[in-house]
Amino acid sequence: MIKELVIKELKNTLRDKRMLLSLIIVPLLMFIIMGGIMRFAMTTTFKEALEKRTIYVVNNDLNKYSEIAINYIKEKGFEVKVFENADAKEVLSEVEEADVIIEFPEGFSYNLSNGLKARILAYASIKGLSIGGYAVLGKVSGLISEISAYLSKVLVKEVAGNVNPEFILDPIASESHMFISGKEVPETFISMLGFFSAGIIVAPLVLVATTIGVSSSMIAVENEERTLEVLLTFPISRFKILLSKLIGVIILVLIATLSFIVGFTFYITAPMAAFEELPGGEGGPSFEPSPILTLFDIQTIVLTGVAVFFTLIAVGALGLLLGSIAPDVRTAQTYIGPLSFIVFIPGMMLMFLDLSKFTTTAQIVLMAISPFISPILVFKSLFEGMPWIAYASLTWTIAFTLITVAIAAKFMETEKILTLQFALRMRGLRKKAK
Amino acid sequence: MAIAVEIYDLIKFYGKVKALDRLTFKVNEGEIFGLVGPNGAGKTTTLRIIATLLKPSSGIVRVFGYNVIEKPGEVRKLISYLPEEAGAYRFLTGKEYLEFMGKIYHIPRDFIEEGIEIASLGGAIDRQIRTYSKGMKRRLLVARALMVKPRLAILDEPTSGLDVAHALYVRNAIRKYAKEYNVTVILSSHNMLEVEYLCDRVALVNEGRIVNIGTTEELIKRYGVRNLEEVFIKAIGGVV
């Protein structure tokens, strides 16, 4: 019997274009389109910027080391246009296609010959706010660093004769080891940590918000379409009706989450993919999930899973309760609006702060609202070595879930499910009349 | 003859408003019983209490011997309720809707086929319900209520929103199913012609109380008028 009700819920919801759009298509397409645009834009602008092979040089030094540097640039495959004894700013404004100029100022070679630091000046004219403009500047900075390294070798060779300049310039081989909560992580993981932390926090928040939204809509639509009265006279216990709604909600939320994850993964990997597509690109930081997974022990994974399960049931039941007193889906959405504050504000705080940074009062407040953010709290506290917070949060979440489901079941048993919204409407009208 | 519905001293308050005031009547098994009264008389409240949707403030309501407060689960196994402004799941087809109801009520396939026949929607039965007109939806809902062959069908304004031809068709279907399958029917209606045609007995309800009860002929005789419409007007204190 529950199976039939669940199938009905899924059919009736997934065939609704509004629900299909907001649950599956938008999260999937939005991220894929955004990621695709970002990838295309980055690849195009970087390619365009990097394919400009002409370097404009103002040489006011006209001496040995500036000549060596200019030859080095030519050897790198660039076409070099040299302006001698010129004002770099004037060249930049007068020569239309010269968006970046390298200047060797007067005394450049003299300084290097006398053991003094010499300067190379770079001038850039950025015509728009696109990433491409910055890419050109980045490329020039990279070229200046390469010129500096090349001149170092030339100078070392002149001073030390047969000694390998590479050894003099870089005699130390470094090796670093990173530890998070006492567990060693590969260095490449650090570059992904920001994305990873955000994902760990954002995904459960989205999951919770989606669950409340879907569950409240699922019962509010019964009111809106006037099917609730018939549903409540079915020869099935009200608890089974509630259970079938909750199962339906969880299946829909899992589908929505899958769509969100696929879209989000595409989105966050788009910049890396763009780098990899560039000619000679070394690629962005490589993402290997296996070292991340080894960070978490089986207890963390299992308890976080339990927290996800109970949180979804709790917020699902809460959504059904709120949705049942709303005459339509739109009103239901306004009822659940304030709940998103309880979910997103602490969620965002947890994204930026370690639990140890919270005061005792703040930790107690977090605990009180933890049924809404339990997956994050449990995961973070176990990861940060504060297991008592995880156990307390989980216990309170399970208790909250049982209480919420019991209240929802009790509410469905009473006539309030039909009369409360009428009473609320009458109270609103009376207030208006006063 | 067995008693299908027994109501004694039924009182219902909505906050401070008294919707039903010591309502008392009985419906015999196999009977088509009509509740007639002006808007706000308490007809829908009475039907909702029998359908276990609302709880009485006081009084006793039994359906085939089961008290609606103590054994609502048992009552729900025996009834089929059609609210006045009922809807159906918009994104199911008419056929899927009837099949879903069939599974909920554990009825055999041929009952569903009968439901499809009662709905008389032709090829539209395979279309999603959101494409139906108000009348088509009502026919589907009546078909749903009758095809499960409940022991008690509770029908609130069964022909509301139907044109003359379809209203007549639905009335015939109700009559046919009630007699053929010994289904007890309790219905409310504003259409006196419908009540006169369908109901074995009629209760006149006004301000939450039963004003009079009897067969159409008895009521017409009692009030000394020509038809049920005039009975209704006289019963609520109007002048014919």
Side-chain angles (χ1 to χ4, degrees):
Chain A
M1 196 83 86
I2 289 179
K3 186 181 141 201
E4 302 308 330
L5 284 166
V6 172
I7 291 171
K8 182 270 289 177
E9 295 294 351
L10 295 178
K11 266 189 190 170
N12 201 48
T13 309
L14 288 173
R15 284 179 186 172
D16 184 349
K17 282 181 189 136
R18 291 175 303 177
M19 290 293 263
L20 197 65
L21 207 68
S22 62
L23 274 180
I24 297 166
I25 297 174
V26 168
L28 188 68
L29 283 188
M30 183 183 72
F31 284 123
I32 287 180
I33 291 170
M34 277 169 62
I37 290 171
M38 188 192 277
R39 188 168 163 172
F40 172 75
M42 284 179 78
T43 314
T44 313
T45 50
F46 276 108
K47 258 187 189 168
E48 193 188 310
L50 298 178
E51 276 170 2
K52 279 193 170 175
R53 306 300 288 174
T54 308
I55 300 286
Y56 295 82
V57 173
V58 170
N59 191 354
N60 293 330
D61 176 58
L62 300 173
N63 239 315
K64 180 185 168 187
Y65 291 111
S66 56
E67 293 300 334
I68 290 172
I70 289 167
N71 283 335
Y72 172 72
I73 299 170
K74 285 177 183 167
E75 277 167 26
K76 293 276 293 177
F78 290 99
E79 187 191 331
V80 180
K81 285 194 176 165
V82 182
F83 299 82
E84 292 179 353
N85 292 323
D87 182 338
K89 287 178 192 166
E90 276 177 20
V91 174
L92 195 66
S93 62
E94 283 168 14
V95 182
E96 178 69 22
E97 61 274 20
D99 49 0
V100 176
I101 290 173
I102 292 174
E103 182 189 349
F104 295 98
E106 196 181 344
F108 177 79
S109 294
Y110 174 83
N111 277 15
L112 290 180
S113 306
N114 292 285
L116 299 169
K117 239 182 170 14
R119 289 191 308 153
I120 296 179
L121 306 172
Y123 297 86
S125 169
I126 295 168
K127 294 181 176 73
L129 290 174
S130 71
I131 300 167
Y134 302 104
V136 171
L137 198 59
K139 186 71 189 172
V140 170
S141 304
L143 188 60
I144 292 172
S145 301
E146 283 181 48
I147 294 168
S148 177
Y150 181 72
L151 288 176
S152 298
K153 287 175 197 166
V154 171
L155 289 168
V156 167
K157 217 163 187 174
E158 280 177 3
V159 175
N162 286 334
V163 179
N164 179 7
E166 301 275 355
F167 168 72
I168 300 285
L169 291 169
D170 194 13
I172 309 287
S174 71
E175 192 180 311
S176 34
H177 293 266
M178 297 296 301
F179 290 85
I180 294 176
S181 297
K183 288 164 191 163
E184 185 165 3
V185 293
E187 220 175 327
T188 50
F189 172 71
I190 301 304
S191 55
M192 288 305 298
L193 198 60
F195 264 141
F196 183 68
S197 304
I200 283 286
I201 307 282
V202 170
L205 291 183
V206 171
L207 204 62
V208 167
T210 312
T211 307
I212 300 176
V214 171
S215 56
S216 62
S217 301
M218 209 179 245
I219 192 98
V221 82
E222 298 266 9
N223 267 327
E224 191 175 289
E225 305 290 345
R226 299 197 171 271
T227 49
L228 186 63
E229 281 188 60
V230 172
L231 178 74
L232 294 176
T233 58
F234 281 173
I236 309 168
S237 76
R238 300 275 171 91
F239 182 73
K240 280 185 180 168
I241 293 175
L242 175 74
L243 201 62
S244 64
K245 290 261 176 210
L246 281 175
I247 294 171
V249 167
I250 288 172
I251 292 173
L252 287 170
V253 166
L254 289 178
I255 296 172
T257 308
L258 195 68
S259 144
F260 174 82
I261 288 171
V262 170
F264 194 69
T265 308
F266 183 83
Y267 176 69
I268 62 167
T269 53
M272 287 178 255
F275 275 119
E276 276 160 15
E277 277 179 26
L278 290 175
E282 288 165 14
S286 60
F287 178 68
E288 293 164 15
S290 50
I292 296 173
L293 293 177
T294 57
L295 276 177
F296 316 119
D297 52 28
I298 191 77
Q299 186 202 23
T300 307
I301 294 168
V302 169
L303 289 183
T304 306
V306 173
V308 169
F309 177 75
F310 279 102
T311 295
L312 290 190
I313 301 282
V315 295
L318 199 64
L320 288 176
L321 263 176
L322 289 173
S324 64
I325 57 169
D328 50 50
V329 174
R330 194 178 290 178
T331 313
Q333 298 303 319
T334 60
Y335 288 170
I336 62 163
L339 274 180
S340 42
F341 286 104
I342 304 178
V343 178
F344 280 100
I345 292 173
M348 289 301 170
M349 284 168 76
L350 286 171
M351 194 191 291
F352 293 106
L353 290 172
D354 290 343
L355 282 168
S356 54
K357 301 279 191 303
F358 283 83
T359 61
T360 312
T361 317
Q363 283 181 357
I364 291 168
V365 172
L366 271 181
M367 194 60 66
I369 58 167
S370 75
F372 298 97
I373 53 166
S374 185
I376 306 167
L377 206 57
V378 168
F379 180 82
K380 232 175 129 66
S381 56
L382 288 174
F383 190 69
E384 291 174 18
M386 301 169 84
W388 68 269
I389 292 185
Y391 293 126
S393 167
L394 210 53
T395 310
W396 170 220
T397 302
I398 293 171
F400 182 85
T401 305
L402 295 176
I403 292 166
T404 314
V405 171
I407 292 172
K410 188 79 197 160
F411 183 70
M412 284 192 85
E413 281 292 337
T414 69
E415 64 180 32
K416 291 271 184 243
I417 192 165
L418 290 177
T419 58
L420 191 63
Q421 49 174 294
F422 176 73
L424 288 173
R425 221 178 303 150
M426 290 310 287
R427 189 182 294 176
L429 288 174
R430 275 200 295 271
K431 267 189 186 169
K432 265 187 192 171
K434 278 178 189 172
Chain B
M1 191 182 287
I3 303 294
V5 181
E6 301 166 80
I7 297 181
Y8 297 106
D9 281 344
L10 178 61
I11 294 174
K12 176 67 184 174
F13 280 100
Y14 289 118
K16 287 175 186 168
V17 180
K18 202 178 206 177
L20 297 178
D21 187 9
R22 301 176 73 86
L23 201 82
T24 301
F25 67 88
K26 283 180 190 172
V27 180
N28 299 315
E29 187 174 9
E31 191 175 31
I32 301 181
F33 188 86
L35 286 177
V36 174
N39 290 334
K43 303 183 299 289
T44 298
T45 299
T46 308
L47 296 184
R48 282 177 163 185
I49 289 172
I50 300 168
T52 75
L53 289 169
L54 297 179
K55 290 192 167 53
S57 302
S58 71
I60 294 168
V61 178
R62 286 196 201 100
V63 174
F64 289 102
Y66 292 112
N67 190 309
V68 292
I69 301 279
E70 291 159 7
K71 299 274 182 194
E74 294 302 322
V75 173
R76 284 179 205 137
K77 286 180 194 164
L78 304 173
I79 64 165
S80 176
Y81 175 54
L82 174 69
E84 184 183 354
E85 285 182 31
Y89 299 107
R90 284 163 49 82
F91 295 97
L92 299 188
T93 65
K95 195 175 179 183
E96 282 173 339
Y97 179 73
L98 294 180
E99 282 169 346
F100 162 65
M101 291 296 173
K103 282 171 187 159
I104 294 293
Y105 285 88
H106 299 293
I107 56 171
R109 181 74 215 175
D110 52 323
F111 281 29
I112 298 168
E113 295 301 331
E114 276 183 58
I116 293 172
E117 206 182 303
I118 301 169
S120 69
L121 290 165
I125 197 78
D126 291 313
R127 285 201 336 240
Q128 285 189 0
I129 294 167
R130 69 194 168 96
T131 64
Y132 288 9
S133 68
K134 199 178 170 194
M136 289 164 86
K137 214 182 286 177
R138 196 68 184 164
R139 264 144 57 203
L140 182 74
L141 289 165
V142 171
R144 188 274 302 165
L146 295 177
M147 77 171 191
V148 299
K149 300 185 178 67
R151 288 191 69 191
L152 174 67
I154 305 162
L155 312 175
D156 198 353
E157 300 281 351
T159 57
S160 108
L162 293 180
D163 58 33
V164 177
H166 283 118
L168 182 66
Y169 177 82
V170 164
R171 267 179 228 135
N172 286 334
I174 294 170
R175 205 182 173 89
K176 178 177 171 245
Y177 274 77
K179 299 305 164 198
E180 215 170 295
Y181 298 102
N182 198 30
V183 175
T184 307
V185 178
I186 179 163
L187 61 85
S188 79
S189 180
H190 282 107
N191 186 335
M192 295 305 136
L193 190 73
E194 176 170 290
V195 174
E196 226 172 315
Y197 173 77
L198 269 179
C199 299
D200 300 315
R201 281 193 309 138
V202 180
L204 302 170
V205 190
N206 193 26
E207 293 174 346
R209 274 175 291 212
I210 299 281
V211 180
N212 222 317
I213 204 163
T215 63
T216 306
E217 295 74 27
E218 282 169 354
L219 289 171
I220 290 171
K221 207 171 170 188
R222 221 171 279 162
Y223 282 89
V225 289
R226 288 168 297 180
N227 54 42
L228 203 54
E229 235 164 32
E230 291 180 359
V231 169
F232 175 74
I233 300 293
K234 263 198 147 178
I236 61 169
V239 181
V240 178

